[in-house]
Amino acid sequence: MENLGNKKLFIETLGCAMNTRDTEHIIAELNSKDNYETTEDVADADLIIINTCSVREKPVAKLFSELGQFKKKKKPNAKVGVCGCTASHLGKEIIKKAPYVDFVVGARNVSKISEAVQNKGTVEIDINHDETDYEFAQYRNSLYKVSVNISLGCDKKCTFCIVPATRGEEISIPPELIIGEIQKAVDNGAKEVFLLGQNVNNYGKNFSDGRDKFNFTKLLQAISEIEKLERIRFTSPHPLHMDNEFIAEFASNPKICKQIHVPLQAGSTKVLKDMKRGYTKEWFIDRCQRIKSLVPEVRISTDIIVGFPGETNEEFKDTIDVINTVKFDQIFNFKYSPRPETEALHMSNQVEDDIASARLEEVIALHKNHQVELMQENVGKTMNVFFEELKPNGEIMGFSDNYCQIFVEASEELLGCTVPIKIIHANRTSLKGEVVAKEN
Ligand code: SAH
Ligand code: F3S
């Protein structure tokens, strides 16, 4: 007999929003067959899972040091599993290197988790495995938000990126399944959906049942018809697929949050070509300016890689130029990290580490100045804030429509409500406000 009712699960999630969603699926799938309670304490766990990221070298190195720690702390019979992108790309190697690992389940094989737990030595890492019509059991981290995958994998071949090798080719999830999943969550109180895909706005090019193509703009329109759903967000879109029709929908659809990720990677058209990104510096700036002209309050975030092979000082200055032109609200900066199974790994002209580090510092410093300036512009404005969390200091926290994080001293009765808030103070990454009047 299984020891039902009192099993403890410790699960650590590294990496992107999609991994966070995969972790929710893992928890729900395990609980559909068994009874697990999550714990923060490895020493107390019966099952230990690490959901890995392989996009840069550091998290991979971290995996093995973490596994070593788990081995020391774990209960003698506790099982250890490795999931996610590093599981996909290292597979059996993980068990060879760390024989106390019981199973390995890749990023595209989450539906097999319960079976894997039961069968020591399981390695499920097929990157062509089709989970697009698999109905995952439901679990949400948040009362008001639901994350929903709309596509799996990625068909782009950005020369620095390992993701296509770990998550396989791009397949879209049928719109009716996406809408059904969102509707279920909304019926259970969700107000906001976060649509996820590695290349989210390329949606609808390939379905596994061979049906006709669809597109991301149409999907957004269909989702926004769901009654009682208040907010739609998505990540990660690709600048190449930001056509005018999409930008018009983004601007005019009141349910779409006015915050958008537009991943630049590099400012130089030559570097962008070497990265196989498919757009130029001018196209990128034009897309951002078009979005800003139609949505003046928009907040734009981006990803930047410095020190891509062959990037000269002058080419790096193009990145600085784009940052100064667009003035991003948030930048995720990375130093180029050579990855297996990517084209850039074999490029001969790798940039020296101290040069890449200096470029990274320059981006960080410039961006900090922009952040301070941009956040300050909010002071005195009134924003509609959806409150979702009570903080230990008694403040309540929420997000504006353009996704500024806002803290207010107010009654927790406002949780779950959208309320106009007057901004009274700006920090570099968040705002403080006060209640103007209550709605809802
Ligand atoms: N479209 C994906 C991109 C995944 S990788 C998404 O959903 O976010 C996330 C970011 O990591 C990329 O945009 C890129 O800026 C960065 N990245 C990817 N490979 C990298 C590498 N080899 N070195 C440094 N940064 C990298
Ligand atoms: Fe990676 Fe480029 Fe796809 S960054 S996830 S190959 S769009």
Side-chain angles (χ1 to χ4, degrees):
M1 248 312 263
E2 285 283 334
N3 184 14
L4 283 180
N6 58 0
K7 283 192 189 167
K8 299 261 174 75
L9 166 69
F10 173 92
I11 184 160
E12 179 177 355
T13 310
L14 308 173
C16 64
M18 200 159 276
N19 259 16
T20 306
R21 180 57 178 160
D22 289 345
T23 289
E24 290 183 332
H25 281 153
I26 289 170
I27 297 173
E29 284 295 301
L30 289 170
N31 273 318
S32 69
K33 308 267 165 22
D34 210 332
N35 234 338
Y36 283 96
E37 198 185 306
T38 52
T39 172
E40 304 282 306
D41 182 5
V42 179
D44 195 30
D46 302 291
L47 175 59
I48 299 166
I49 292 179
I50 178 159
N51 192 8
T52 57
C53 169
S54 58
V55 90
R56 281 166 295 278
E57 210 172 352
K58 251 198 204 147
V60 178
K62 192 172 165 191
L63 166 67
F64 288 101
S65 68
E66 294 269 85
L67 284 173
Q69 291 300 316
F70 294 163
K71 181 175 181 254
K72 278 191 212 143
K73 293 185 192 156
K74 78 183 186 79
K75 293 200 284 201
N77 292 330
K79 291 179 182 171
V80 179
V82 177
C83 298
C85 284
T86 306
S88 304
H89 110 250
L90 293 182
K92 289 204 280 281
E93 293 297 309
I94 296 174
I95 298 185
K96 258 197 217 152
K97 214 165 156 179
Y100 48 90
V101 168
D102 293 280
F103 61 90
V104 174
V105 170
R108 198 137 164 179
N109 302 265
V110 175
S111 60
K112 299 179 183 158
I113 189 75
S114 292
E115 254 177 82
V117 174
Q118 297 305 325
N119 297 298
K120 191 170 168 56
T122 298
V123 177
E124 287 284 1
I125 53 167
D126 178 8
I127 60 164
N128 295 313
H129 182 61
D130 185 3
E131 290 185 329
T132 51
D133 61 1
Y134 181 85
E135 200 173 324
F136 285 99
Q138 294 297 311
Y139 170 82
R140 286 192 273 136
N141 278 327
S142 156
L143 200 57
Y144 305 115
K145 300 178 176 184
V146 61
S147 297
V148 175
N149 291 340
I150 69 163
S151 56
L152 307 178
C154 181
D155 277 352
K156 292 267 183 283
K157 295 275 176 287
C158 301
T159 54
F160 52 80
C161 186
I162 195 175
V163 171
T166 63
R167 288 189 178 265
E169 74 178 47
E170 188 173 306
I171 311 186
S172 297
I173 295 172
E176 67 277 8
L177 297 185
I178 297 170
I179 288 169
E181 195 177 337
I182 302 172
Q183 184 68 61
K184 246 189 264 168
V186 168
D187 292 343
N188 286 314
K191 308 245 173 158
E192 178 177 315
V193 66
F194 194 23
L195 307 173
L196 300 176
Q198 294 298 332
N199 185 0
V200 81
N201 55 340
N202 195 41
Y203 179 79
K205 299 284 184 310
N206 180 22
F207 293 98
S208 51
D209 59 9
R211 70 176 70 194
D212 287 351
K213 289 186 181 168
F214 204 65
N215 74 34
F216 187 56
T217 304
K218 282 195 218 156
L219 182 71
L220 289 171
Q221 286 163 347
I223 291 173
S224 61
E225 311 242 305
I226 298 176
E227 251 182 82
K228 296 200 177 148
L229 176 70
E230 292 180 13
R231 287 182 169 180
I232 303 171
R233 298 169 61 223
F234 49 84
T235 209
S236 242
H238 194 296
L240 183 64
H241 306 301
M242 292 190 182
D243 55 25
N244 291 350
E245 189 199 15
F246 161 76
I247 295 177
E249 184 65 27
F250 176 79
S252 63
N253 187 327
K255 290 196 178 180
I256 300 178
C257 279
K258 301 304 180 244
Q259 189 276 334
I260 189 163
H261 191 63
V262 195
L264 170 65
Q265 312 300 1
S268 145
T269 296
K270 156 81 170 54
V271 175
L272 287 169
K273 192 157 182 248
D274 292 346
M275 289 176 161
K276 294 209 173 137
R277 289 290 290 175
Y279 52 87
T280 60
K281 175 184 179 185
E282 289 70 29
W283 166 265
F284 184 91
I285 293 176
D286 177 72
R287 293 297 88 187
C288 291
Q289 287 178 338
R290 189 174 182 94
I291 294 170
K292 283 189 170 196
S293 72
L294 294 176
V295 189
E297 76 279 19
V298 73
R299 296 178 78 236
I300 300 183
S301 59
T302 199
D303 288 344
I304 285 174
I305 297 177
V306 299
F308 183 79
E311 184 187 64
T312 64
N313 244 334
E314 208 149 289
E315 286 160 357
F316 170 64
K317 291 295 170 210
D318 280 319
T319 299
I320 294 293
D321 188 39
V322 177
I323 298 174
N324 275 320
T325 309
V326 176
K327 286 201 180 164
F328 298 101
D329 293 274
Q330 195 175 11
I331 301 183
F332 300 93
N333 318 280
F334 309 107
K335 211 158 50 164
Y336 167 72
S337 167
R339 305 305 297 125
E341 298 182 65
T342 62
E343 243 185 276
L345 179 69
H346 308 291
M347 294 180 179
S348 54
N349 39 4
Q350 306 278 328
V351 172
E352 283 179 30
D353 192 58
D354 55 345
I355 296 180
S357 297
R359 290 179 188 168
L360 189 68
E361 288 307 314
E362 191 174 337
V363 169
I364 292 171
L366 176 62
H367 172 53
K368 275 191 178 160
N369 292 339
H370 288 167
Q371 268 185 317
V372 170
E373 201 182 302
L374 291 164
M375 288 300 263
Q376 196 58 38
E377 286 173 9
N378 293 308
V379 176
K381 286 187 185 162
T382 297
M383 294 173 150
N384 281 331
V385 179
F386 179 76
F387 286 105
E388 53 189 70
E389 211 178 306
L390 178 66
K391 290 288 166 188
N393 66 358
E395 286 182 333
I396 52 171
M397 186 278 289
F399 290 91
S400 62
D401 188 47
N402 61 1
Y403 239 69
C404 283
Q405 192 179 33
I406 296 168
F407 294 87
V408 175
E409 278 167 34
S411 154
E412 60 185 280
E413 278 172 24
L414 298 188
L415 290 175
C417 304
T418 303
V419 184
I421 294 294
K422 181 158 187 212
I423 305 306
I424 53 174
H425 180 76
N427 295 318
R428 189 167 58 81
T429 56
S430 68
L431 301 170
K432 214 171 147 57
E434 58 192 19
V435 177
V436 179
K438 196 175 160 197
E439 250 180 23
N440 249 356

Short mmCIF file of all heavy atoms in Angstrom, two decimals, residues 46-84:
data_model
loop_
_atom_site.label_atom_id
_atom_site.label_comp_id
_atom_site.label_asym_id
_atom_site.label_seq_id
_atom_site.Cartn_x
_atom_site.Cartn_y
_atom_site.Cartn_z
N ASP A 46 9.94 13.45 0.67
CA ASP A 46 9.97 12.07 0.18
C ASP A 46 10.33 12.06 -1.30
O ASP A 46 10.77 11.06 -1.84
CB ASP A 46 8.59 11.42 0.35
CG ASP A 46 8.17 11.45 1.80
OD1 ASP A 46 8.79 10.72 2.60
OD2 ASP A 46 7.26 12.25 2.15
N LEU A 47 10.06 13.19 -1.95
CA LEU A 47 10.39 13.31 -3.37
C LEU A 47 11.02 14.69 -3.59
O LEU A 47 10.46 15.70 -3.16
CB LEU A 47 9.10 13.16 -4.20
CG LEU A 47 9.23 13.38 -5.71
CD1 LEU A 47 10.23 12.41 -6.33
CD2 LEU A 47 7.86 13.20 -6.39
N ILE A 48 12.19 14.68 -4.23
CA ILE A 48 12.92 15.92 -4.48
C ILE A 48 13.06 16.09 -5.99
O ILE A 48 13.54 15.19 -6.68
CB ILE A 48 14.33 15.85 -3.83
CG1 ILE A 48 14.20 15.68 -2.31
CG2 ILE A 48 15.15 17.09 -4.16
CD1 ILE A 48 15.50 15.25 -1.64
N ILE A 49 12.58 17.23 -6.50
CA ILE A 49 12.67 17.45 -7.95
C ILE A 49 13.34 18.79 -8.19
O ILE A 49 13.04 19.78 -7.52
CB ILE A 49 11.26 17.43 -8.60
CG1 ILE A 49 10.67 16.01 -8.52
CG2 ILE A 49 11.32 17.89 -10.05
CD1 ILE A 49 9.26 15.88 -9.11
N ILE A 50 14.23 18.80 -9.17
CA ILE A 50 14.78 20.09 -9.59
C ILE A 50 14.41 20.27 -11.06
O ILE A 50 14.66 19.41 -11.90
CB ILE A 50 16.30 20.19 -9.28
CG1 ILE A 50 16.87 21.50 -9.78
CG2 ILE A 50 17.10 19.03 -9.78
CD1 ILE A 50 18.18 21.90 -9.10
N ASN A 51 13.70 21.39 -11.32
CA ASN A 51 13.24 21.67 -12.68
C ASN A 51 14.23 22.66 -13.30
O ASN A 51 14.25 23.84 -12.95
CB ASN A 51 11.81 22.24 -12.61
CG ASN A 51 11.15 22.28 -13.98
OD1 ASN A 51 11.69 21.76 -14.95
ND2 ASN A 51 10.00 22.92 -14.05
N THR A 52 15.04 22.15 -14.20
CA THR A 52 16.27 22.86 -14.60
C THR A 52 16.13 23.75 -15.83
O THR A 52 15.23 23.60 -16.64
CB THR A 52 17.33 21.81 -14.95
OG1 THR A 52 16.78 20.97 -15.98
CG2 THR A 52 17.71 20.98 -13.75
N CYS A 53 17.12 24.64 -15.96
CA CYS A 53 17.24 25.53 -17.12
C CYS A 53 18.62 25.29 -17.73
O CYS A 53 19.59 25.06 -17.00
CB CYS A 53 17.13 26.97 -16.61
SG CYS A 53 17.56 28.21 -17.84
N SER A 54 18.72 25.37 -19.06
CA SER A 54 20.04 25.15 -19.66
C SER A 54 20.45 26.29 -20.57
O SER A 54 21.37 26.17 -21.36
CB SER A 54 20.04 23.84 -20.44
OG SER A 54 19.05 23.89 -21.42
N VAL A 55 19.74 27.41 -20.47
CA VAL A 55 19.92 28.47 -21.46
C VAL A 55 21.30 29.12 -21.35
O VAL A 55 21.88 29.53 -22.34
CB VAL A 55 18.72 29.45 -21.38
CG1 VAL A 55 18.93 30.58 -20.42
CG2 VAL A 55 18.35 29.94 -22.75
N ARG A 56 21.83 29.15 -20.15
CA ARG A 56 23.22 29.59 -19.96
C ARG A 56 23.96 28.52 -19.15
O ARG A 56 23.34 27.66 -18.55
CB ARG A 56 23.26 30.96 -19.25
CG ARG A 56 22.98 32.11 -20.20
CD ARG A 56 22.71 33.39 -19.47
NE ARG A 56 21.48 33.28 -18.70
CZ ARG A 56 20.26 33.45 -19.20
NH1 ARG A 56 20.10 33.77 -20.45
NH2 ARG A 56 19.19 33.31 -18.43
N GLU A 57 25.30 28.64 -19.14
CA GLU A 57 26.11 27.61 -18.51
C GLU A 57 25.91 27.54 -16.99
O GLU A 57 25.89 26.47 -16.41
CB GLU A 57 27.57 27.92 -18.81
CG GLU A 57 28.43 26.70 -18.90
CD GLU A 57 29.81 27.08 -19.40
OE1 GLU A 57 30.03 28.24 -19.82
OE2 GLU A 57 30.67 26.20 -19.35
N LYS A 58 25.75 28.72 -16.38
CA LYS A 58 25.71 28.78 -14.91
C LYS A 58 24.65 27.88 -14.27
O LYS A 58 24.96 27.12 -13.37
CB LYS A 58 25.47 30.23 -14.46
CG LYS A 58 26.69 30.85 -13.83
CD LYS A 58 26.29 32.08 -13.03
CE LYS A 58 27.47 33.01 -12.90
NZ LYS A 58 27.07 34.41 -12.87
N PRO A 59 23.39 27.95 -14.75
CA PRO A 59 22.38 27.10 -14.10
C PRO A 59 22.69 25.62 -14.24
O PRO A 59 22.27 24.82 -13.40
CB PRO A 59 21.07 27.45 -14.82
CG PRO A 59 21.36 28.53 -15.77
CD PRO A 59 22.82 28.84 -15.75
N VAL A 60 23.41 25.23 -15.29
CA VAL A 60 23.74 23.81 -15.46
C VAL A 60 24.76 23.41 -14.40
O VAL A 60 24.63 22.37 -13.75
CB VAL A 60 24.29 23.54 -16.88
CG1 VAL A 60 24.66 22.07 -17.03
CG2 VAL A 60 23.26 23.93 -17.93
N ALA A 61 25.77 24.28 -14.18
CA ALA A 61 26.76 23.99 -13.15
C ALA A 61 26.06 23.91 -11.79
O ALA A 61 26.35 23.06 -10.96
CB ALA A 61 27.83 25.08 -13.14
N LYS A 62 25.08 24.82 -11.62
CA LYS A 62 24.35 24.86 -10.35
C LYS A 62 23.62 23.53 -10.08
O LYS A 62 23.54 23.09 -8.96
CB LYS A 62 23.35 26.03 -10.41
CG LYS A 62 22.73 26.36 -9.08
CD LYS A 62 21.90 27.62 -9.10
CE LYS A 62 21.03 27.66 -7.85
NZ LYS A 62 20.02 28.66 -7.85
N LEU A 63 23.13 22.92 -11.16
CA LEU A 63 22.38 21.66 -11.00
C LEU A 63 23.19 20.64 -10.22
O LEU A 63 22.71 20.06 -9.25
CB LEU A 63 21.98 21.10 -12.37
CG LEU A 63 21.49 19.65 -12.35
CD1 LEU A 63 20.17 19.55 -11.61
CD2 LEU A 63 21.33 19.12 -13.76
N PHE A 64 24.44 20.42 -10.65
CA PHE A 64 25.21 19.36 -10.00
C PHE A 64 25.61 19.73 -8.57
O PHE A 64 25.66 18.86 -7.70
CB PHE A 64 26.39 18.93 -10.88
CG PHE A 64 25.91 18.15 -12.07
CD1 PHE A 64 25.80 18.74 -13.32
CD2 PHE A 64 25.49 16.84 -11.92
CE1 PHE A 64 25.31 18.03 -14.41
CE2 PHE A 64 24.99 16.11 -13.00
CZ PHE A 64 24.90 16.71 -14.24
N SER A 65 25.85 21.02 -8.31
CA SER A 65 26.17 21.37 -6.93
C SER A 65 24.92 21.22 -6.05
O SER A 65 24.99 20.73 -4.92
CB SER A 65 26.79 22.76 -6.82
OG SER A 65 25.84 23.73 -7.14
N GLU A 66 23.76 21.58 -6.60
CA GLU A 66 22.51 21.41 -5.85
C GLU A 66 22.25 19.93 -5.57
O GLU A 66 21.88 19.56 -4.46
CB GLU A 66 21.32 21.93 -6.67
CG GLU A 66 21.31 23.41 -6.90
CD GLU A 66 20.55 24.13 -5.83
OE1 GLU A 66 21.17 24.41 -4.79
OE2 GLU A 66 19.36 24.40 -6.02
N LEU A 67 22.45 19.09 -6.60
CA LEU A 67 22.19 17.66 -6.42
C LEU A 67 23.08 17.10 -5.31
O LEU A 67 22.62 16.30 -4.49
CB LEU A 67 22.43 16.91 -7.74
CG LEU A 67 21.34 17.03 -8.81
CD1 LEU A 67 21.78 16.38 -10.11
CD2 LEU A 67 20.02 16.43 -8.34
N GLY A 68 24.32 17.56 -5.27
CA GLY A 68 25.24 17.12 -4.22
C GLY A 68 24.71 17.47 -2.84
O GLY A 68 24.75 16.67 -1.90
N GLN A 69 24.18 18.70 -2.74
CA GLN A 69 23.59 19.14 -1.46
C GLN A 69 22.38 18.29 -1.08
O GLN A 69 22.22 17.89 0.06
CB GLN A 69 23.14 20.61 -1.56
CG GLN A 69 24.27 21.62 -1.67
CD GLN A 69 25.17 21.56 -0.45
OE1 GLN A 69 24.69 21.48 0.69
NE2 GLN A 69 26.47 21.53 -0.69
N PHE A 70 21.54 18.03 -2.08
CA PHE A 70 20.33 17.22 -1.82
C PHE A 70 20.73 15.84 -1.28
O PHE A 70 20.13 15.32 -0.37
CB PHE A 70 19.50 17.02 -3.09
CG PHE A 70 18.89 18.28 -3.63
CD1 PHE A 70 18.41 18.34 -4.94
CD2 PHE A 70 18.78 19.42 -2.85
CE1 PHE A 70 17.85 19.49 -5.45
CE2 PHE A 70 18.21 20.58 -3.35
CZ PHE A 70 17.76 20.61 -4.66
N LYS A 71 21.77 15.27 -1.90
CA LYS A 71 22.21 13.92 -1.51
C LYS A 71 22.58 13.91 -0.02
O LYS A 71 22.23 13.00 0.70
CB LYS A 71 23.39 13.50 -2.36
CG LYS A 71 23.87 12.12 -2.02
CD LYS A 71 24.96 11.67 -2.96
CE LYS A 71 25.42 10.27 -2.62
NZ LYS A 71 26.71 10.22 -1.99
N LYS A 72 23.30 14.96 0.39
CA LYS A 72 23.74 15.02 1.80
C LYS A 72 22.56 15.16 2.75
O LYS A 72 22.54 14.57 3.82
CB LYS A 72 24.65 16.24 2.00
CG LYS A 72 26.07 15.97 1.58
CD LYS A 72 26.96 17.12 2.05
CE LYS A 72 28.10 17.30 1.07
NZ LYS A 72 28.47 18.67 0.85
N LYS A 73 21.57 15.97 2.35
CA LYS A 73 20.50 16.31 3.29
C LYS A 73 19.30 15.36 3.26
O LYS A 73 18.51 15.33 4.18
CB LYS A 73 19.98 17.72 2.97
CG LYS A 73 20.99 18.81 3.25
CD LYS A 73 20.35 20.17 3.02
CE LYS A 73 21.38 21.27 2.99
NZ LYS A 73 20.92 22.45 2.27
N LYS A 74 19.13 14.64 2.16
CA LYS A 74 17.85 13.94 1.98
C LYS A 74 17.66 12.76 2.93
O LYS A 74 18.63 12.18 3.42
CB LYS A 74 17.71 13.48 0.53
CG LYS A 74 18.49 12.24 0.17
CD LYS A 74 18.32 11.96 -1.31
CE LYS A 74 18.95 10.64 -1.71
NZ LYS A 74 18.17 9.46 -1.40
N LYS A 75 16.38 12.39 3.14
CA LYS A 75 16.07 11.18 3.90
C LYS A 75 16.56 9.98 3.08
O LYS A 75 16.52 10.03 1.85
CB LYS A 75 14.54 11.05 4.08
CG LYS A 75 13.94 12.13 4.97
CD LYS A 75 12.58 11.71 5.53
CE LYS A 75 11.48 11.80 4.51
NZ LYS A 75 10.13 11.89 5.10
N PRO A 76 16.95 8.88 3.73
CA PRO A 76 17.55 7.77 2.97
C PRO A 76 16.67 7.26 1.83
O PRO A 76 17.18 6.92 0.77
CB PRO A 76 17.75 6.69 4.04
CG PRO A 76 17.64 7.38 5.35
CD PRO A 76 16.92 8.67 5.18
N ASN A 77 15.34 7.23 2.02
CA ASN A 77 14.49 6.67 0.96
C ASN A 77 13.91 7.70 0.01
O ASN A 77 13.12 7.36 -0.86
CB ASN A 77 13.35 5.88 1.58
CG ASN A 77 13.87 4.63 2.25
OD1 ASN A 77 14.89 4.09 1.81
ND2 ASN A 77 13.21 4.22 3.33
N ALA A 78 14.26 8.95 0.21
CA ALA A 78 13.69 9.98 -0.65
C ALA A 78 14.17 9.79 -2.09
O ALA A 78 15.32 9.45 -2.33
CB ALA A 78 14.10 11.36 -0.14
N LYS A 79 13.23 10.00 -3.03
CA LYS A 79 13.61 9.89 -4.45
C LYS A 79 14.03 11.24 -4.97
O LYS A 79 13.52 12.28 -4.53
CB LYS A 79 12.41 9.39 -5.25
CG LYS A 79 12.06 7.96 -4.93
CD LYS A 79 10.85 7.51 -5.73
CE LYS A 79 10.47 6.09 -5.36
NZ LYS A 79 9.20 5.69 -5.95
N VAL A 80 14.94 11.23 -5.96
CA VAL A 80 15.43 12.48 -6.55
C VAL A 80 15.18 12.44 -8.05
O VAL A 80 15.53 11.45 -8.72
CB VAL A 80 16.94 12.67 -6.28
CG1 VAL A 80 17.44 13.96 -6.93
CG2 VAL A 80 17.24 12.68 -4.78
N GLY A 81 14.57 13.51 -8.59
CA GLY A 81 14.33 13.58 -10.03
C GLY A 81 14.83 14.87 -10.62
O GLY A 81 14.81 15.92 -9.95
N VAL A 82 15.29 14.80 -11.87
CA VAL A 82 15.72 16.01 -12.59
C VAL A 82 14.80 16.21 -13.78
O VAL A 82 14.62 15.30 -14.60
CB VAL A 82 17.19 15.89 -13.05
CG1 VAL A 82 17.61 17.11 -13.85
CG2 VAL A 82 18.12 15.71 -11.84
N CYS A 83 14.16 17.38 -13.85
CA CYS A 83 13.25 17.68 -14.95
C CYS A 83 13.77 18.91 -15.71
O CYS A 83 14.78 19.50 -15.34
CB CYS A 83 11.85 18.00 -14.41
SG CYS A 83 11.11 16.62 -13.54
N GLY A 84 13.05 19.28 -16.79
CA GLY A 84 13.35 20.54 -17.49
C GLY A 84 14.38 20.42 -18.59
O GLY A 84 14.71 19.34 -19.07
#
